[in-house]
């Protein structure tokens, strides 16, 4: 990060930065803040649709959007309209997706600890695929699946690949709570057991090595393990999971979805897989991250001996990623996006703990002060979806913008919403 103006490459596809403001989807960010209040999540619909189309074109039919990265009815419908399936990991995500009108036949159900109710819901709805994670789940499926209540399944395996990313979001290694180990024989035993369940059709294997991964090598390695492992099985699909990284700050760069898919397909070919095998994936972050920007109002600017604290009206409740993973972000002044940024501040939220930091060293124009609007780009993934009501702070509204129009897809929470669970 530097005092240079913020890079335009961190913005959504339709964003234009000019002397006195930023427009996304043909709508001015300041106008949105005035109309909907702050903090506010703004998503560029064009970018969301373009990334979904890229994923649908790069992989085979059955490629899914990982809804944990950002889910609401409008997002589930958008992914479905653009040709993707929707991946859910819990009964709650399944419920939202089915309520949105996406047919169950386009839903993929995950979960490392699916309850009996969640499995029953998935079976009754008739999901496209259920991804089986463990032997206790196989026992449940033995009791619940039958030719009258059939199931299309994949089996989740751990390929033993260490992805280069934060350990909290690394999942392909042997020591993990997810999936069946290939190397210790569990995955093979799971396949044998699943094939013996009448009414259950096992289509293939699934692996997910982690998230926010910039290098394609880990995915290639995972694909070659899957290829070697399944060469003699008569499967019709292999899913490589999600995990493609995105650039959050200047200096980072990530492969495109097309480049990612190409390297995975290459590895599948090199692994000697049949050409008609469906190669699938479930990107989340790569679809939604760059489409989103969060607008905050600055309330307080407090110089202390060591630095300047600049406090905004949100914080770790709408973006817990800096606290959880030490993730970096950049900031810009909504009214001065092209200005140099010589003012170095610690951008913090309004929560009652010192760890409530959005950006440890944020660069902002000298003019940015209490009352300014400050925004963080690339906040479309795992921000709203991991948002909390810590300190009883209501969750922000979410707005989609397109062709000069804004429409609210999730309204701002109110104190009444927060009180509705009291009995
Ligand atoms: N498929 C499976 C089975 C997953 O577990 C995940 C993410 C995805 C797909 C989508 O991964 P993506 O393409 O979004 O990397 N909260 C963390 C990320 C956790 C990811 C969990 N699983 C973060 O904010 O970085």
């Amino acid at each position: 990060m530097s005092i240079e103006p913020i890079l335009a490459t961190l913005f959504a596809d339709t964003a234009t930065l000019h002397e006195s403001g930023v427009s996304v989807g043909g709508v001015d960010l300041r106008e949105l803040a005035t109309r909907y209040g702050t903090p506010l999540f703004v998503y560029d619909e064009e970018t969301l649709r373009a990334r979904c189309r890229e994923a649908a074109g790069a992989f085979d039919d059955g490629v899914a959007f990982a809804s944990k990265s950002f889910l609401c009815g409008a997002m589930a419908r958008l992914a479905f309209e653009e040709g993707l399936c929707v991946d859910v990991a819990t009964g709650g995500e399944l419920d939202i997706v089915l309520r949105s009108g996406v047919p169950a036949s386009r839903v993929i159900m995950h979960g490392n600890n699916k309850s009996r109710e969640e499995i029953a819901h998935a079976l009754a709805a008739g999901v496209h695929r259920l991804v089986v994670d463990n032997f206790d789940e196989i026992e449940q499926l033995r009791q619940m699946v039958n030719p009258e209540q059939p199931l299309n399944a994949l089996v989740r395996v751990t390929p033993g690949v260490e992805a280069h990313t934060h350990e909290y979001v690394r999942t392909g290694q042997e020591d993990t709570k997810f999936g069946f180990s290939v190397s210790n024989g569990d995955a093979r035993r799971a396949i044998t057991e699943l094939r013996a369940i009448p009414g259950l059709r096992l289509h293939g294997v699934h692996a997910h090595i982690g998230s926010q991964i910039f290098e394609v090598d880990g995915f290639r390695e995972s694909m070659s393990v899957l290829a070697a492992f399944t060469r003699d099985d008569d499967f019709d699909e292999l899913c490589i999971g999600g995990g493609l990284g995105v650039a959050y700050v200047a200096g980072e760069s990530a492969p495109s979805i097309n480049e990612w898919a190409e390297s995975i397909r290459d590895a599948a070919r090199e692994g000697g897989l049949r050409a008609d095998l469906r190669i699938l994936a479930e990107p989340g972050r790569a679809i939604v991250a760059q489409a989103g920007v969060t607008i905050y109002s600055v309330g307080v600017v407090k110089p202390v001996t060591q630095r300047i604290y600049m406090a905004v009206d949100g914080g770790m409740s709408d973006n817990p990623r800096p606290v959880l993973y030490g993730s970096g972000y950049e900031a810009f002044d909504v009214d001065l996006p092209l200005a140099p940024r010589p003012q170095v501040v610690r951008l913090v939220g309004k929560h009652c703990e010192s760890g409530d930091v959005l950006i440890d060293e944020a660069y902002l124009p000298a003019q940015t002060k209490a009352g300014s609007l400050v925004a963080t780009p690339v906040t479309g993934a795992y921000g709203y979806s991991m948002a909390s009501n810590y300190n009883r702070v209501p969750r922000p509204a979410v707005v989609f913008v397109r062709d000069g129009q804004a429409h609210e897809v999730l309204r701002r929470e109110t104190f009444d919403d927060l009180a509705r669970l009291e009995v």
Side-chain angles (χ1 to χ4, degrees), residues 102-113:
V102 172
S105 60
R106 296 299 283 171
V107 174
I108 295 166
M109 178 77 179
H110 276 278
N112 74 301
N113 180 15

Side-chain angles (χ1 to χ4, degrees), residues 288-318:
V288 294
Q290 206 185 353
V293 56
T294 313
I295 311 174
Y296 302 98
S297 298
V298 176
V300 169
V301 179
K302 181 185 289 183
V304 298
T305 310
Q306 295 78 359
R307 69 185 82 254
I308 299 170
Y309 283 90
M310 184 176 279
V312 296
D313 51 354
M316 63 191 288
S317 56
D318 59 77

Side-chain angles (χ1 to χ4, degrees), residues 51-174:
R51 297 297 181 279
C52 287
R53 276 197 295 272
E54 188 179 346
F59 291 96
D60 293 309
D61 186 44
V63 50
F65 164 60
S67 70
K68 72 203 78 184
S69 59
F70 169 58
L71 179 59
C72 62
M75 184 62 217
R77 281 191 297 274
L78 184 155
F80 168 67
E81 284 163 14
E82 298 298 345
L84 298 182
C85 285
V86 182
D87 138 10
V88 300
T90 65
E93 289 180 353
L94 176 61
D95 182 69
I96 293 285
V97 172
L98 293 179
R99 276 174 203 254
S100 79
V102 172
S105 60
R106 296 299 283 171
V107 174
I108 295 166
M109 178 77 179
H110 276 278
N112 74 301
N113 180 15
K114 303 178 188 76
S115 68
R116 203 174 172 82
E117 292 71 33
E118 286 173 326
I119 296 174
H121 192 184
L123 281 173
V127 295
H128 176 63
R129 297 283 182 267
L130 181 134
V131 185
V132 183
D133 180 89
N134 56 75
F135 288 111
D136 292 303
E137 187 179 341
I138 293 183
E139 186 47 42
Q140 302 233 50
L141 294 174
R142 232 179 245 125
Q143 296 163 20
M144 298 167 78
V145 177
N146 55 61
E148 281 81 59
Q149 184 143 264
L151 179 69
N152 291 298
L154 292 179
V155 62
R156 174 151 180 183
V157 306
T158 27
V161 172
E162 301 253 347
H164 301 286
T165 187
H166 194 286
E167 73 167 294
Y168 289 6
V169 294
R170 213 186 278 156
T171 50
Q173 72 282 11
E174 286 293 328

Side-chain angles (χ1 to χ4, degrees), residues 346-418:
R346 179 166 287 174
L347 194 71
V348 297
K350 64 183 281 123
H351 295 278
C352 296
E353 54 181 284
S354 299
D356 175 27
V357 175
L358 285 170
I359 304 177
D360 195 42
E361 276 195 347
Y363 288 74
L364 286 161
Q367 302 91 319
T368 307
K369 56 181 192 303
S372 297
L373 290 177
V374 162
T376 47
V378 207
T379 44
Y382 301 107
Y384 192 91
S385 70
M386 295 204 296
S388 76
N389 290 128
Y390 183 38
N391 294 133
R392 300 279 89 185
V393 170
R395 270 176 277 241
V398 181
V399 169
F400 279 14
V401 288
R402 187 187 191 182
D403 296 335
Q405 303 289 322
H407 65 279
E408 202 175 18
V409 296
L410 289 167
R411 66 164 171 79
R412 183 176 304 285
E413 271 179 334
T414 63
F415 291 154
D416 283 341
D417 289 323
L418 298 183

